[in-house]
Amino acid sequence: MKKFFLLFATALFSTFSMAQNFKKQAKSVDSLFGQYVDGKKSGISIMVISDGRKLYNRSFGYADIGNLGKANSSTNYRIASVTKSFTAMALLMLRDQGKLSLDDKLSSFFPNLPAFASKITVKQLINHTSGLMGYGDARTKEPLKDIDVLHLIEKQDSTRFTPGSRFSYSNSAYVLLGLIVKQVSGLMLDEFVRKHIFLPLEMKGSTFNNLAGKIPNRAYGYNLRDGKLLLEDQSNASYLQGDGGIYSSINDFYFWDQALYTDKLVKRQTLEEIFRPSSQEAPGINYGYGWYIEERYGTRRIFHSGGTTGFSSYYVRYPEKKFSIVVFANQDEGLALEPIVNAIERIYLLGENSEK
């Protein structure tokens, strides 16, 4: 009996110590967001996940400054290029269903493209080695749709470099990947992702941007201009789907994060392929299928960031540690998320104390 009570007391003390440590870590993370305490600030939402447990889940500032709508864990932010991991997942799901091959040529889906399309594969679109020109210089007052990007590329006569020869980050490639999903599945990318990813994972609030403006619990975008925070919510490229069109919350992203440890969406072999280096942006910084891959703290670090008019996002995973950080904000210019994420990593993975 004495041995039992000794074991019980030891377990109780261990649990108490762990709880105290979590409180200290949360307090250290809180200190990173002191600027949000006073005044009408844009919003930011942060979630830290360890082995399925939400260690930190807090929001600061406003999702809608004009109406004093505070940000919370259900606030939907436009996650910009973090969308690319969903687009890549959709392509791999279709590949596993036998509906396409990563070696298929771009010209097989869009025969009206110039001759260079016959040298670009789906895989090269996914890993940013296609060499496609960008759509960013398109001069139009009307919002671009995905099909408009295809037509812009139809008018180009060359690529930046020989497809497959090097890395060059390409939003155009991911817009075309979204159109390939439509060609193969019969569903627009937003419909495919909603049916095959959002609904199965119970990401109930997540959606794609749309011209009707019907986004539940949405944040409005802001940017810092000449010392003033101004409402800057959309641009002519804001409604493109494949490269950055998703709105989501940190609450919904918890389900996405946890699904990436399982075979809920694709078989584990495919997950391993998704997170395996497929191209290299720079020494030590690789790209898989919709994810950057590097090593930090002696283990794999898988991540993607996003920035667009009025919004920024950063999502990082340490799969071997089952540790993740999600940070969404409704501000781009004047806000840098990477230093915040780096500080959170040091608090939880290195035990640093960032309190001032």
Side-chain angles (χ1 to χ4, degrees):
M1 183 65 72
K2 184 182 292 185
K3 184 177 180 180
F4 169 80
F5 281 113
L6 181 61
L7 289 172
F8 176 77
T10 301
L12 190 63
F13 178 77
S14 177
T15 302
F16 175 77
S17 297
M18 189 178 297
Q20 290 298 105
N21 188 48
F22 289 158
K23 287 181 180 180
K24 288 180 180 179
Q25 290 171 329
K27 194 173 181 181
S28 289
V29 177
D30 284 345
S31 70
L32 300 173
F33 303 99
Q35 61 176 310
Y36 290 87
V37 174
D38 299 317
K40 295 179 181 179
K41 305 289 186 180
S42 59
I44 189 166
S45 297
I46 311 97
M47 181 176 286
V48 178
I49 308 164
S50 180
D51 202 19
R53 179 174 181 175
K54 300 175 184 178
L55 298 186
Y56 191 91
N57 182 9
R58 296 182 186 175
S59 299
F60 303 88
Y62 291 88
D64 181 353
I65 295 176
N67 292 305
L68 298 181
K70 290 190 174 181
N72 59 58
S73 57
S74 295
T75 295
N76 274 329
Y77 299 85
R78 195 151 83 91
I79 65 173
S81 286
V82 177
T83 298
K84 289 181 171 68
S85 59
F86 289 85
T87 304
M89 177 64 79
L91 268 296
L92 269 294
M93 293 172 83
L94 290 168
R95 191 282 306 273
D96 284 0
Q97 294 170 16
K99 295 182 178 179
L100 60 81
S101 166
L102 298 190
D103 293 324
D104 286 343
K105 299 294 193 289
L106 181 56
S107 56
S108 67
F109 302 101
F110 308 113
N112 291 331
L113 285 174
F116 60 71
S118 65
K119 300 178 182 178
I120 297 173
T121 66
V122 172
K123 182 176 181 178
Q124 290 165 351
L125 294 171
I126 295 175
N127 68 16
H128 295 296
T129 62
S130 69
L132 283 175
M133 301 286 189
Y135 63 76
D137 294 330
R139 298 181 181 278
T140 174
K141 293 182 180 179
E142 296 299 319
L144 284 170
K145 298 184 288 296
D146 294 60
I147 195 68
D148 296 327
V149 172
L150 176 64
H151 294 327
L152 287 170
I153 295 174
E154 287 174 348
K155 298 175 182 178
Q156 296 171 358
D157 57 10
S158 64
T159 53
R160 295 181 187 275
F161 49 82
T162 302
S165 65
R166 63 184 178 88
F167 182 100
S168 182
Y169 191 87
S170 176
N171 285 314
S172 295
Y174 269 77
V175 173
L176 293 186
L177 287 170
L179 291 174
I180 289 173
V181 170
K182 170 66 166 60
Q183 290 285 92
V184 172
S185 71
L187 297 174
M188 292 291 291
L189 179 65
D190 60 338
E191 297 171 329
F192 184 93
V193 171
R194 183 178 301 111
K195 180 177 180 180
H196 297 286
I197 299 178
F198 290 164
L199 288 178
L201 299 186
E202 298 188 42
M203 297 175 69
K204 298 178 181 179
S206 298
T207 187
F208 275 75
N209 202 9
N210 60 78
L211 289 167
K214 296 180 179 179
I215 312 255
N217 301 320
R218 66 160 295 184
Y220 290 86
Y222 299 89
N223 281 320
L224 194 65
R225 305 290 184 193
D226 297 323
K228 295 182 180 179
L229 203 58
L230 302 179
L231 178 66
E232 293 186 2
D233 189 58
Q234 306 288 344
S235 72
N236 70 331
S238 291
Y239 300 95
L240 297 173
Q241 292 192 1
D243 65 334
I246 289 178
Y247 274 77
S248 192
S249 67
I250 58 171
N251 272 354
D252 270 11
F253 242 68
Y254 171 81
F255 297 111
W256 170 242
D257 178 76
Q258 294 301 291
L260 295 177
Y261 294 112
T262 73
D263 56 3
K264 284 185 177 181
L265 298 176
V266 291
K267 56 190 177 183
R268 292 180 184 271
Q269 183 180 351
T270 299
L271 278 178
E272 292 173 4
E273 183 181 359
I274 288 171
F275 297 131
R276 185 184 306 137
S278 178
S279 59
Q280 186 179 76
E281 182 180 55
I285 302 178
N286 300 301
Y287 202 87
Y289 296 161
W291 301 86
Y292 281 99
I293 305 160
E294 63 179 359
E295 184 171 309
R296 187 177 291 187
Y297 308 124
T299 189
R300 267 194 315 166
R301 182 181 192 260
I302 299 170
F303 67 100
H304 216 296
S305 61
T308 187
T309 302
F311 294 91
S312 53
S313 56
Y314 205 112
Y315 176 38
V316 59
R317 309 180 75 243
Y318 287 84
E320 280 70 33
K321 294 179 179 292
K322 291 195 173 180
F323 178 84
S324 302
I325 301 169
V326 187
V327 183
F328 296 156
N330 57 331
Q331 183 182 338
D332 184 24
E333 299 294 331
L335 177 66
L337 294 188
E338 186 171 8
I340 292 172
V341 171
N342 290 343
I344 294 173
E345 286 177 336
R346 292 193 298 269
I347 289 167
Y348 284 97
L349 299 179
L350 297 182
E352 287 190 7
N353 187 335
S354 70
E355 292 180 69
K356 305 297 182 183

